[in-house]
Amino acid sequence: MATVISNERLTDGVYHLQVEGEYGGAMGQFYMLRAWGAYPLLSRPLSIHQVTDRGVDFLYHVVGEGTEIFAGLTPGDSIELEGPFGNGFPEVEGRIALVGGGIGIAPLYYCAQKLPGSDIYLGFSREAFRTEAFGPLAGELNINVGGLVLDSVDFTAYDHIFVCGPHPMLKAAQLKAMAAEQEGRGPQVYLSLENRMACGIGACLVCSVSCRDGQRKACADGPVFLSREVIFHD
Amino acid sequence: MINLTANIAGVHFKNPVVMASGTFGFGREYGKLYDVSMLGGISGKGLTLHAKPGNPGVRVYETASGMLNSVGLENPGVEAFLSKELPYWETLDTARIVNLGGNTLPDYVLGAELIQQDDDARRLAGKRAVDMIELNISCPNVKEGGIAFGVKTPAAREVVRAVRAATRLPLAVKLSPNAEDIAEMAEMCEAEGADAVSLINTISGMKIDVRRRRSVFHNLYAGLSGPAIKPVALRMVHQVAKRVSIPVIGMGGITSATDIIEFIMAGAAVIQVGTYNFMNLRAGSTLVEELQQFMIEEHISSLDEIRGII
């Protein structure tokens, strides 16, 4: 059991949760969280937003029953954490872009801390949030509200690009990566997938991802995959 | 001293807490969180003769006190299991159960034969890694085979008979709650030489996305598990235990020591824990400890004292 330090509403439906305790983890890894008893049955996977001296932070968007319960947490409340799980983003060097869409910016803040000076692209459908925190860490900071943030990213200009966001954005990033590769200037593009999970540790096979080399698990083999490995079905 | 042990067809269970197929992988992942050798047993991820990619689309959906799944038996196939997973199982001190599914009758038989051949070779080498086969004729999430064999007794008889002939390993048959008559099905299994029956598998269910006006699941239906199905499972275990003399492995929505006791009182020899593994990643360890505590409090020295008393 861990204790909630704060649970701040950033904008409509988006919260910044801080949990106290000795928690670690790598960029792009996640924890399974639950703040209830038996129901909802499943814990919720949330990626690490940052690790601090006091504990670990998460950003989440209220989308269902579990995250609604999270939204009601107040300082001092108890919460269960299991993790960190999954394989995250690699420690890389060179010209780096971090590209986040909506709540997909959550893991990129920890990346920005670990890889200061990276160019950061943040896209939001209606209202930007948490952008002020990214500014001091960014080489160049690009914020897009209401458009397509990927349109601003020149895939031929980077060695490594980390992308986290909604499914269509990840597919679009894969296409841009392929186009850049055909020009002979392809960066290594890493996508963080947000699949439904049950166990979070690789046992249930609920979060299977179709990859070039067969079925893999978003929770244990990912959630971060090289874009060229993933096969998008829809 | 509390006695938690059970015995099914010569297979020793140090306690009645067995992890259910499909919820525990082959134990490796949970083995990083606690010592899985403390468990009574592990029923591995359902295997088919050849590897299966499983179902496309949404694979899990929460319901009131339950969960629908449509994983569709994604698995590495029998041979990959034997070469890659069995060496890990050899390191475990718990009952090791292979859950065997199939698309066709020959698939079931060939799968059982491969497991038997491997077991023969291991015995010759002084090793034994598989303790029991759990024959899955009740997966609701595969289009061919699976539940098609598990609903009607004559079809199920053909599979049980053929697999019984293909292996000398202890054989449990996992029954479907969707069977036309689950007690009759269990009697058939006993008559065909099964050493145990395990029940229940998931109940066929459905979830509709009303905005998109279609089922959430690619295959329309999915398997319901979790606490929502416990009363149904308990009733079926009770009915079956009254009708057969072979041991009954009971499962369905178990999340506490008192749930285990209920199943034992209904006649189960051991129980299996499924969905609770997702609610509590240390479910096995939690339940074994809780069960011991409950038995101390209730002055129960052995599960034999209460088994089938209802």
Side-chain angles (χ1 to χ4, degrees):
Chain A
M1 274 295 183
T3 306
V4 172
I5 300 170
S6 69
N7 188 30
E8 183 193 357
R9 181 182 172 277
L10 300 181
T11 180
D12 191 25
V14 177
Y15 289 76
H16 179 189
L17 173 69
Q18 296 185 291
V19 180
E20 191 172 26
E22 286 184 23
Y23 296 101
M27 301 180 284
Q29 283 192 303
F30 66 94
Y31 281 82
M32 297 295 284
L33 287 85
R34 66 191 292 134
W36 49 82
Y39 188 78
L41 259 68
L42 305 177
S43 302
R44 298 299 193 256
L46 293 182
S47 59
I48 296 169
H49 183 58
Q50 71 168 331
V51 175
T52 68
D53 292 342
R54 292 187 68 187
V56 59
D57 291 15
F58 304 94
L59 282 194
Y60 63 92
H61 187 205
V62 176
V63 290
E65 216 168 341
T67 42
E68 256 177 43
I69 295 172
F70 288 157
L73 292 171
T74 56
D77 284 349
S78 293
I79 187 164
E80 286 177 62
L81 267 70
E82 288 277 8
F85 294 137
N87 286 323
F89 291 107
E91 304 266 358
V92 293
E93 290 177 355
R95 293 163 299 163
I96 301 164
L98 310 177
V99 188
I103 201 64
I105 73 167
L108 298 185
Y109 183 62
Y110 197 31
C111 299
Q113 287 182 315
K114 296 272 188 184
L115 304 168
S118 303
D119 288 348
I120 299 174
Y121 300 80
L122 306 176
F124 304 90
S125 56
R126 288 198 301 272
E127 194 180 345
F129 52 85
R130 197 69 180 140
T131 50
E132 75 294 343
F134 283 87
L137 302 168
E140 194 180 311
L141 178 64
N142 298 271
I143 297 167
N144 183 308
V145 179
L148 296 172
V149 68
L150 275 177
D151 288 350
S152 316
V153 187
D154 177 2
F155 271 49
T156 64
Y158 295 99
D159 299 311
H160 304 278
I161 302 178
F162 295 176
V163 188
C164 186
H167 195 78
M169 180 178 164
L170 299 182
K171 277 176 70 176
Q174 186 187 53
L175 290 174
K176 289 196 71 149
M178 285 163 66
E181 204 165 329
Q182 278 170 2
E183 284 180 41
R185 302 184 63 187
Q188 294 283 73
V189 177
Y190 295 88
L191 309 177
S192 180
L193 272 55
E194 286 189 340
N195 285 20
R196 283 169 178 266
M197 296 176 185
C199 69
I201 59 172
C204 69
L205 307 188
V206 158
C207 64
S208 267
V209 180
S210 293
C211 288
R212 303 274 165 213
D213 60 351
Q215 296 290 106
R216 300 179 73 186
K217 305 165 191 175
C219 65
D221 301 317
V224 176
F225 293 89
L226 266 171
S227 102
R228 71 175 79 93
E229 294 177 344
V230 180
I231 300 169
F232 288 106
H233 289 291
D234 50 48
Chain B
M1 189 66 180
I2 292 171
N3 180 7
L4 289 170
T5 63
N7 187 295
I8 298 177
V11 179
H12 174 75
F13 292 82
K14 65 177 71 166
N15 63 60
V17 180
V18 179
M19 296 295 110
S21 179
T23 64
F24 209 69
F26 296 105
R28 282 180 198 275
E29 294 82 9
Y30 292 92
K32 293 173 190 161
L33 299 172
Y34 67 98
D35 177 14
V36 296
S37 286
M38 71 171 301
L39 297 168
I42 296 172
S43 180
K45 172 69 193 157
L47 294 170
T48 48
L49 180 62
H50 303 295
K52 276 175 81 80
N55 291 335
V58 170
R59 288 185 168 193
V60 68
Y61 202 97
E62 282 181 277
T63 67
S65 292
M67 187 187 98
L68 286 161
N69 94 78
S70 181
V71 172
L73 275 183
E74 177 178 341
N75 79 92
V78 170
E79 285 189 87
F81 162 76
L82 293 172
S83 61
K84 293 180 184 161
E85 301 295 341
L86 259 186
Y88 171 69
W89 273 20
E90 284 182 81
T91 68
L92 303 178
D93 178 23
T94 185
R96 291 155 288 209
I97 303 168
V98 170
N99 183 283
L100 178 66
N103 287 344
T104 64
L105 185 61
D107 278 2
Y108 277 108
V109 173
L110 286 170
E113 284 175 352
L114 278 176
I115 294 163
Q116 182 64 55
Q117 284 163 16
D118 184 82
D119 193 67
D120 289 343
R122 285 174 189 278
R123 279 169 186 264
L124 274 177
K127 297 187 282 190
R128 188 175 178 195
V130 172
D131 294 302
M132 182 181 285
I133 291 178
E134 180 175 58
L135 184 62
N136 181 1
I137 54 170
S138 49
C139 178
N141 293 327
V142 288
K143 283 187 172 170
E144 295 173 326
I147 199 168
F149 288 110
V151 175
K152 292 185 184 297
T153 305
R157 184 190 303 278
E158 224 183 321
V159 182
V160 175
R161 183 174 290 174
V163 171
R164 177 68 291 175
T167 179
R168 298 180 304 282
L169 282 161
L171 180 67
V173 182
K174 188 165 180 178
L175 305 180
S176 169
N178 307 302
E180 287 179 341
D181 183 338
I182 198 165
E184 178 193 88
M185 190 71 87
E187 285 179 328
M188 176 278 292
C189 293
E190 181 174 21
E192 294 297 335
D195 298 290
V197 284
S198 53
L199 60 144
I200 58 175
N201 207 321
T202 55
I203 300 176
S204 184
M206 189 177 190
K207 168 67 188 174
I208 293 171
D209 181 334
V210 293
R211 297 196 188 279
R212 301 173 82 183
R213 302 183 182 196
R214 65 186 197 201
S215 170
V216 163
F217 297 103
H218 182 82
N219 282 357
L220 295 182
Y221 309 137
L224 180 66
S225 63
I229 73 166
K230 200 195 91 182
V232 178
L234 194 61
R235 184 262 296 174
M236 288 185 162
V237 165
H238 184 256
Q239 282 180 324
V240 167
K242 296 286 179 214
R243 293 268 290 270
V244 296
S245 54
I246 53 176
V248 174
I249 301 169
M251 78 196 87
I254 290 173
T255 64
S256 67
T258 51
D259 287 346
I260 297 173
I261 296 290
E262 282 192 72
F263 274 84
I264 301 288
M265 286 183 172
V270 299
I271 58 89
Q272 290 189 6
V273 178
T275 301
Y276 187 45
N277 284 304
F278 307 148
M279 300 164 67
N280 173 3
L281 294 177
R282 293 170 181 78
S285 138
T286 305
L287 287 174
V288 172
E289 283 168 25
E290 278 183 9
L291 183 62
Q292 284 171 326
Q293 191 55 38
F294 181 85
M295 289 172 71
I296 292 168
E297 286 167 14
E298 292 294 316
H299 308 292
I300 302 167
S301 59
S302 164
L303 292 173
D304 291 339
E305 289 173 24
I306 56 166
R307 187 170 287 114
I309 62 169
I310 306 297

